Amino acid sequence: MAMTMTGEFMLPADKATVWARLNDAATLQAAIPGCESLEKTSDTEFAAVVKVKIGPVSARFKGKVRLTDIDAPNSYRIVGEGEGGVAGFAKGGATVRLAEVEGGGTRLGYEVEAQVGGKIAQLGARLVDGTAKKLAAEFFDNFAKALGGG
């Protein structure tokens, strides 16, 4: 099952700070809902374990994330995949763009495309999309708090 999601989020910090924190494993681990571990394995790669509940299905996903098309401190592409055992798999990517906002702060724009399979895909697009949007909102709220806002 394929899904897409786009959005913008205003963050209470300058672009250089937001960029640095988007590349910091400790900040990301604290911001990602259900993240049990996030380890930077190279300058452009992370290994993660994330526990997620989608409807009646709970799963612990183990995966890898790679950063590509890096244009510091403006944008990058995140490409990743994770295995959740019998619950299924998820893979996909996101383009993230940062822009300074007049008067302070940074606008983060994102475009996500993902594929999910297994039991998770059987739950239906509405439930999966709703959960993805909820998790994205939680991530950005947590990330804004880590930057000193929210």
Side-chain angles (χ1 to χ4, degrees):
M1 178 177 77
M3 61 173 261
T4 59
M5 188 169 56
T6 61
E8 282 189 350
F9 204 84
M10 295 299 297
L11 296 167
D14 63 85
K15 188 163 74 168
T17 300
V18 172
W19 178 262
R21 300 299 284 275
L22 278 174
N23 288 279
D24 177 65
T27 301
L28 292 173
Q29 181 174 346
I32 297 168
C35 188
E36 295 178 350
S37 68
L38 183 68
E39 178 186 345
K40 194 166 191 169
T41 56
S42 78
D43 285 346
T44 59
E45 295 177 315
F46 296 87
V49 177
V50 179
K51 188 172 184 184
V52 179
K53 182 169 173 50
I54 301 174
V57 177
S58 288
R60 179 175 277 111
F61 284 88
K62 293 181 182 179
K64 296 182 193 291
V65 176
R66 188 174 72 253
L67 306 179
T68 64
D69 303 333
I70 298 169
D71 175 18
N74 303 305
S75 65
Y76 62 35
R77 180 153 176 76
I78 304 166
V79 179
E81 57 187 66
E83 287 291 330
V86 295
F89 70 89
K91 64 182 178 177
T95 301
V96 177
R97 292 183 182 85
L98 301 179
E100 292 277 356
V101 177
E102 207 170 305
T106 301
R107 179 185 308 110
L108 183 151
Y110 62 92
E111 299 165 18
V112 176
E113 66 287 333
Q115 292 273 343
V116 296
K119 281 188 181 179
I120 290 173
Q122 295 169 5
L123 294 173
R126 189 175 296 161
L127 182 58
V128 173
D129 285 349
T131 301
K133 288 178 178 154
K134 178 178 168 272
L135 292 173
E138 284 180 34
F139 169 81
F140 287 114
D141 288 344
N142 293 341
F143 190 74
K145 286 176 188 157
L147 291 169

